[in-house]
Amino acid sequence: MSAVTAAAGGTEDVVDLVRTAIHQGEFVPNQRLVEADLSVQFGASRAAVRTALVQLAAEGLVERVQNRGARVRAVSLDEAIEISEVRMVVEGLCAAKAAERATDDDLAVLREIGSDMQAAVDRGDVFGYSELNRRLHATVRGVAGQKVAGDVLERLRGQNVRHQFRLALLPGRASVSLPQHLEIVDAICARDPRRAESAMRAHLASVIETLPQVASGPGR
Amino acid sequence: MSAVTAAAGGTEDVVDLVRTAIHQGEFVPNQRLVEADLSVQFGASRAAVRTALVQLAAEGLVERVQNRGARVRAVSLDEAIEISEVRMVVEGLCAAKAAERATDDDLAVLREIGSDMQAAVDRGDVFGYSELNRRLHATVRGVAGQKVAGDVLERLRGQNVRHQFRLALLPGRASVSLPQHLEIVDAICARDPRRAESAMRAHLASVIETLPQVASGPGR
DNA sequence: GGCGCAAGTATTGTTGACAATTTCGTCGCA
DNA sequence: TGCGACGAAATTGTCAACAATACTTGCGCC
């Protein structure tokens, strides 16, 4: 019962509340999302909750079946792999575009993230590294300036956040991914689109290979 | 008043009706979609229409702003290019997977589509070629067996259908794309993932190059 | 004890009315 | 004539009640 019980009448707020609740594990996969319960929990009308659920279903975060209500969608290992495969090629595209379009300021930001990552690994800061990882990918997406690709990736990331999080906790994971991340930064700084794309794809291919280990690993 | 005025109470039906209305040009870009109007036109309750609009907004087909209603989303040329760039890499992924997983029956289907395309070009059947084009891409997606990639592509295709359609009408377009399509079929039949991916990407790169011509071309 | 069956409960789907907001036209005034 | 305030119309957002559907529990029967 440590739930976020803040009152939020607006329908748009409910979407955010439910989304973050799912992302933070407050709502676990396959958990039923009863409209009436959510409406009292969030202090919103049932109609607002209902609208929010429709929207989240379209986002792929919840599943809705006729007359049977909504539940948190569970993504299987196979689906997590498929998601990462799509991410691989789309982030590859973004990396290539980023290498083409990056300004000198962009490159400075990327280099700083790279050295911060190195530092985080050196001092064994798993959580800090995970956050930097998120920021690196987000920065590449931003520099690429591809709105459509960004939307697709954001959507996919939302569905996959649980697997992503567990991946970061895997012991020794950082020492594997750090050189890959640095290679991505280097390639973009060299303004070499093809090298940037293949570096990003190699990195995500490595993620995909590691996913099966995480399925039966920590956090479950 | 040639509008689709069929009565459809269910909320799920309304989504389909509005979607096809947009795809077929019944509703043009930037046209306002007033809830009350749609509810009488489709014989559904306003709530059903409202729900449908929320869902279509999540699909990216309509735009909704607070207290200002919904309108058909217009995709600019720049955005159409971005969409096609994402399609390029994701369909490339599907082509590679299809080359890996295709059964002999799958290959027979692909070869038949290829020869039908050749025949359609030979007799100057633009519309038939366009339909075969759609079927080829759909078949590749199906053979790849990538549900996530398929969903992403379906979503993107929905937003782009207008540009796609005008592209097909461009004179001489078929003679450019036919050999590209045949190369895709060949590569998959040779079960060569990398060749299939690069063939698909080359094809869509060609589409992207042609898009600017279509923006000020026929149909407008 | 297991299995169909029926009543009761829980939950979603739908409807209509009302409130809040935006948009558009009109009037007065400089 | 131009411009800003004001008010009416149009439209969306919200709510509570009702109807329809799925789930559960308890009972009789084999």
Side-chain angles (χ1 to χ4, degrees), chain B residues 39-159:
Chain B
S39 78
V40 307
Q41 179 174 354
F42 294 138
S45 75
R46 194 166 78 91
V49 171
R50 188 181 179 75
T51 303
L53 290 178
V54 170
Q55 201 165 322
L56 289 170
E59 278 180 36
L61 270 176
V62 313
E63 237 174 1
R64 266 169 51 93
V65 281
Q66 186 82 246
N67 290 325
R68 284 201 197 183
R71 57 184 58 220
V72 179
R73 196 166 80 86
V75 300
S76 65
L77 172 61
D78 284 347
E79 195 170 359
I81 290 176
E82 281 195 18
I83 289 174
S84 298
E85 284 172 334
V86 176
R87 273 190 58 200
M88 176 176 72
V89 295
V90 179
E91 294 221 41
L93 171 69
C94 287
K97 292 282 174 184
E100 287 177 2
R101 300 185 182 175
T103 67
D104 291 344
D105 289 348
D106 293 333
L107 297 188
V109 172
L110 286 173
R111 285 201 197 90
E112 188 181 333
I113 294 177
S115 55
D116 286 355
M117 277 183 148
Q118 178 77 64
V121 170
D122 287 346
R123 67 174 186 275
D125 179 1
V126 176
F127 186 76
Y129 181 75
S130 169
E131 169 62 17
L132 285 166
N133 173 32
R134 198 192 56 74
R135 252 180 56 199
L136 175 60
H137 287 271
T139 303
V140 171
R141 268 179 7 206
V143 173
Q146 298 271 109
K147 183 174 176 328
V148 175
D151 289 349
V152 169
L153 289 174
E154 190 57 35
R155 195 182 145 82
L156 294 176
R157 194 189 63 84
Q159 299 177 10

Side-chain angles (χ1 to χ4, degrees), chain B residues 5 8 16-17 28 81 87 108 126 141 186 194 211 217:
Chain B
T5 322
D16 290 338
L17 286 172
V28 301
I81 290 176
R87 273 190 58 200
V126 176
R141 268 179 7 206
D186 275 0
R194 296 184 52 177
L211 272 181

Side-chain angles (χ1 to χ4, degrees), chain B residues 88 91-92 95 137 140 184 195-205:
Chain B
M88 176 176 72
E91 294 221 41
H137 287 271
V140 171
I184 293 169
R195 192 178 142 210
E197 175 170 10
S198 76
M200 182 64 88
R201 287 180 69 145
H203 168 51
L204 281 167

Side-chain angles (χ1 to χ4, degrees), chain A residues 2-59:
Chain A
S2 67
V4 186
T5 323
T11 153
E12 209 59 35
D13 304 324
V14 182
V15 182
D16 291 337
L17 286 173
V18 176
R19 191 191 289 119
T20 63
I22 292 177
H23 281 169
Q24 296 182 356
E26 187 100 25
F27 296 150
V28 301
N30 282 325
Q31 176 173 341
R32 284 194 60 189
L33 298 176
V34 178
E35 295 178 0
D37 293 355
L38 295 185
S39 78
V40 307
Q41 180 173 354
F42 294 138
S45 76
R46 196 165 78 89
V49 171
R50 188 180 180 74
T51 303
L53 289 179
V54 170
Q55 198 166 322
L56 290 170
E59 278 181 34

